[in-house]
């Protein structure tokens, strides 16, 4: 696989250097059957990380990208859920918290069909997987067909989407709900502050944070927030990970999660056609999801989508990048696309110094440029916004974001996230999805030249 470093690339030396650096990150972070996000902070396989990683890996080795997704789905539960962490049994429990002995998936999740031979978490992450699978197939259709990649993955993806659309429609409005702040992937977003305030935190003595061994406390969630995360996970685990029986004290409809479900349903329609199944069921579900997204989560005053707190049945009046990700849905009304682009260009999300997209409102009351998801710019969400802009023909705006991402990825050694006001790298370095999405943007940039 080291020969991937020598593959032909752009004649521009800066692009070649960036490509080689990104390739090296992905080679170094490969762990037998999947890729870890970071060798230090995140030593296991994460769900939406693997989807983004596959999107980049497909430009190096379509087969390895296929294996990335396949290895994740071997840990799928019987009820269809794809857990947010698949644990590497060779990593000691103390290296990451919450560890397998906390989640107890094979026992606590037995009724929900948790695998008996693989330990996982019991919660989920956003459904980028069908989109990643389709893009991986397109990268090398011959290899995909030779390995029956899509026919083998299609029923698993269908079960995953059915779980989200059925078991997780907790609000009854047709959208998938999240039951833990870790599920939307934007763990520490200010959007969760008000709902989390209802949660009594677990006692500090009941857990030990391994993340502070590798991350600066100023960049990470506070101990109070972490105690609440632990408490919610304990409650869900002790309810057998049963979405209906759990009666979660934290339940929200998130615009990013549901926008990605729309994009992945449309990708699943393409996959269905390839494997001889009907595509209509997927396009119709995407249409229903789009209608529900607009009716339940659009806020005209904010000019973007907001999360809905299902406990109070009200929108949470905090702006985050999650509310811009619905640009990835091609069926959005044109007037909403115009408003989203205006919001992206306005004082809440336009970081003039860097052209990066912050994770939270620049003018928000608790904006913090360095603390996890409370302001820093992330490469995966900006990649989604960039793709969404192109979906609606807004190529000038997309070009600006792409250039900013490529410039910053190289300058920060593929940082986990960055300060949007200065471009300074924060969190882990040599971060896998940063490298993978850099490869994707480099390749699509060359295709457009």
């Amino acid at each position: 696989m080291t020969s991937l470093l020598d593959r032909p690339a752009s004649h521009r030396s800066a692009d070649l250097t960036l490509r080689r650096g990104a390739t090296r990150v992905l080679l170094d972070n490969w762990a037998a059957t999947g890729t870890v996000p970071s060798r230090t902070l995140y030593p296991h396989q994460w769900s939406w990380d693997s989807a983004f990683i596959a999107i980049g890996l497909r430009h190096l080795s379509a087969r390895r990208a296929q294996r990335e997704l396949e290895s994740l789905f071997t840990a799928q539960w019987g009820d269809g859920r794809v857990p947010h962490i698949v644990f590497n049994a060779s990593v000691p429990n103390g290296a990451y918290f919450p560890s397998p002995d906390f989640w107890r998936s094979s026992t606590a999740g037995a009724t929900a069909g948790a695998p008996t031979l693989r330990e996982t978490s019991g919660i989920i992450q956003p459904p980028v997987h069908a989109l990643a699978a389709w893009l991986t197939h397109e990268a090398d259709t011959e290899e995909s067909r030779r390995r029956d990649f899509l026919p083998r993955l299609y029923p698993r993806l269908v079960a995953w989407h059915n779980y989200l659309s059925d078991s997780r429609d907790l609000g009854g409005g047709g959208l998938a709900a999240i039951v833990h702040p870790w599920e939307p992937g934007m763990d520490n977003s200010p959007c969760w502050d008000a709902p989390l305030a209802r949660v009594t935190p677990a006692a500090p003595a009941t857990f030990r944070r391994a993340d502070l061994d590798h991350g600066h406390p100023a960049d990470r969630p506070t101990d109070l927030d972490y105690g609440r995360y632990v408490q919610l996970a304990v409650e869900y685990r002790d309810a057998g990970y049963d979405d209906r029986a759990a009666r979660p004290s934290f339940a929200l409809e998130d615009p990013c999660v549901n926008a990605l479900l729309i994009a992945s349903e449309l990708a699943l329609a393409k996959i269905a056609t390839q494997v001889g199944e009907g595509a209509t069921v997927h396009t119709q579900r995407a249409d229903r999801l789009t209608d529900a997204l607009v009716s339940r989560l659009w806020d005209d005053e904010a000019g973007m989508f907001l999360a809905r707190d299902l406990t109070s049945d009200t929108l949470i009046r905090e702006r985050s990048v999650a509310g811009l990700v619905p640009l990835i849905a091609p069926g959005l009304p044109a007037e909403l696309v115009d408003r989203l682009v205006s919001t992206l260009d306005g004082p809440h999300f336009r970081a003039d110094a860097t052209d990066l997209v912050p994770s939270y409102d620049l003018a928000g009351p608790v904006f913090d440029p360095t603390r996890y998801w409370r302001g820093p710019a992330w490469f995966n969400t900006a990649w989604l916004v960039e793709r969404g802009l192109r979906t609606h023909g807004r190529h000038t705006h997309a070009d600006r974001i792409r250039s900013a991402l490529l410039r910053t990825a190289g300058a920060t050694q593929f940082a986990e996230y960055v300060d949007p006001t200065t471009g300074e790298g924060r969190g882990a370095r040599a971060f896998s999805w940063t490298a993978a999405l850099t490869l994707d943007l480099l390749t699509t940039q060359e295709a457009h030249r």
Side-chain angles (χ1 to χ4, degrees):
M1 291 298 291
T2 54
S3 63
L4 295 174
L5 290 167
D6 300 317
R7 287 197 170 184
S10 166
H11 293 298
R12 294 179 55 182
S13 60
D15 286 359
L16 179 57
T17 299
L18 192 57
R19 180 183 296 274
R20 290 175 65 88
T23 300
R24 173 52 63 193
V25 169
L26 294 178
L27 291 175
D28 288 347
N29 288 351
W30 177 259
T33 60
T35 308
V36 298
S38 160
R39 284 288 180 183
T40 55
L41 191 55
Y42 307 103
H44 302 287
Q45 186 176 24
W46 262 257
S47 172
W48 77 327
D49 290 71
S50 279
F52 288 119
I53 289 164
I55 288 169
L57 275 176
R58 68 191 172 115
H59 301 300
L60 302 176
S61 167
R63 182 169 184 173
R64 180 167 283 194
Q66 292 170 26
R67 290 177 63 196
E68 182 77 39
L69 294 170
E70 290 164 349
S71 67
L72 177 69
F73 274 83
T74 61
Q76 185 174 25
W77 289 28
D79 64 3
R81 85 182 71 194
V82 178
H84 97 295
I85 303 175
V86 180
F87 289 107
N88 182 344
S90 67
V91 175
N93 281 342
Y96 182 83
F97 179 84
S99 52
D101 58 342
F102 172 88
W103 294 104
R104 307 172 198 164
S105 62
S106 58
T107 53
T111 302
T116 57
L117 300 179
R118 302 287 300 276
E119 291 297 328
T120 75
S121 66
I123 60 175
I124 62 170
Q125 278 189 326
V128 201
H129 311 90
L131 175 60
W134 176 250
L135 294 176
T136 296
H137 166 76
E138 284 192 309
D140 190 337
T141 56
E142 183 177 340
E143 176 70 1
S144 176
R145 293 190 180 105
R146 187 187 68 79
R147 297 188 69 246
D148 283 333
F149 172 62
L150 293 182
R152 288 186 291 108
L153 203 58
Y154 175 74
R156 292 181 173 274
L157 290 166
V158 170
W160 170 219
H161 287 202
N162 287 344
Y163 168 78
L164 292 168
S165 297
D166 299 335
S167 298
R168 283 302 186 92
D169 183 10
L170 303 182
L175 295 180
I178 58 171
V179 299
H180 195 286
W182 290 335
E183 291 201 320
M186 304 180 195
D187 311 16
N188 199 34
S189 170
C191 297
W192 321 140
D193 287 357
L196 278 175
R198 299 190 294 259
V199 179
T200 301
T206 62
F207 63 92
R208 177 190 174 277
R209 296 181 58 179
D211 62 316
L212 297 182
D213 294 341
H214 304 286
H216 194 285
D219 289 352
R220 306 293 299 171
T222 65
D223 286 343
L224 176 61
D225 285 333
Y226 223 88
R228 288 169 169 153
Y229 304 156
V230 171
Q231 181 61 30
L232 285 171
V234 166
E235 291 172 2
Y236 193 38
R237 179 196 69 197
D238 291 351
Y241 299 113
D242 185 325
D243 294 300
R244 300 296 174 176
R247 299 184 179 277
S249 52
F250 180 98
L252 294 92
E253 292 170 347
D254 174 68
C256 176
V257 168
N258 284 282
L260 291 176
L261 185 54
I262 292 167
S264 278
E265 277 292 341
L266 293 172
L268 206 51
K270 296 176 181 177
I271 294 171
T273 300
Q274 288 291 315
V275 301
E277 299 288 345
T280 304
V281 63
H282 303 299
T283 55
Q284 288 180 343
R285 180 180 279 176
D287 290 343
R288 291 195 302 271
L289 283 163
T290 301
D291 290 343
L293 183 74
V294 171
S295 65
R296 291 183 63 79
L297 303 188
W298 175 257
D299 186 79
D300 204 55
E301 180 183 349
M304 65 188 305
F305 293 90
L306 303 177
R308 179 175 291 274
D309 182 350
L310 294 179
T311 300
S312 62
D313 197 27
T314 58
L315 293 177
I316 297 171
R317 308 215 66 80
E318 295 282 5
R319 295 176 172 92
S320 84
V321 69
L324 299 172
V325 172
L327 282 166
I328 203 169
L332 282 187
E335 60 271 23
L336 267 59
V337 173
D338 290 340
R339 291 294 306 281
L340 286 169
V341 174
S342 294
T343 299
L344 181 64
D345 258 353
H348 299 287
F349 289 95
R350 180 68 186 267
D352 288 323
T354 63
D355 281 332
L356 298 170
V357 183
S359 54
Y360 174 68
D361 183 355
L362 289 163
V366 293
F367 171 78
D368 186 329
T370 65
R371 194 178 289 278
Y372 211 61
W373 290 108
R374 302 182 76 83
W378 290 72
F379 290 83
N380 65 326
T381 50
W383 181 89
L384 291 168
V385 171
E386 194 265 0
R387 187 175 180 86
L389 289 166
R390 295 198 189 279
T391 297
H392 296 283
R394 307 304 177 96
H395 297 292
T396 299
H397 287 82
D399 287 344
R400 187 185 75 220
I401 292 174
R402 174 191 280 164
S403 295
L405 289 177
L406 294 177
R407 180 175 62 249
T408 308
T412 63
Q413 298 177 312
F414 305 99
E416 184 179 2
Y417 50 90
V418 302
D419 182 332
T421 64
T422 66
E424 179 188 4
R426 311 293 296 192
R429 299 302 191 273
F431 199 71
S432 290
W433 78 27
T434 302
L437 298 177
T438 294
L439 284 173
D440 187 65
L441 292 175
L442 276 172
T443 305
T444 54
Q445 174 178 266
E446 291 162 8
H448 283 94
R449 280 184 183 149

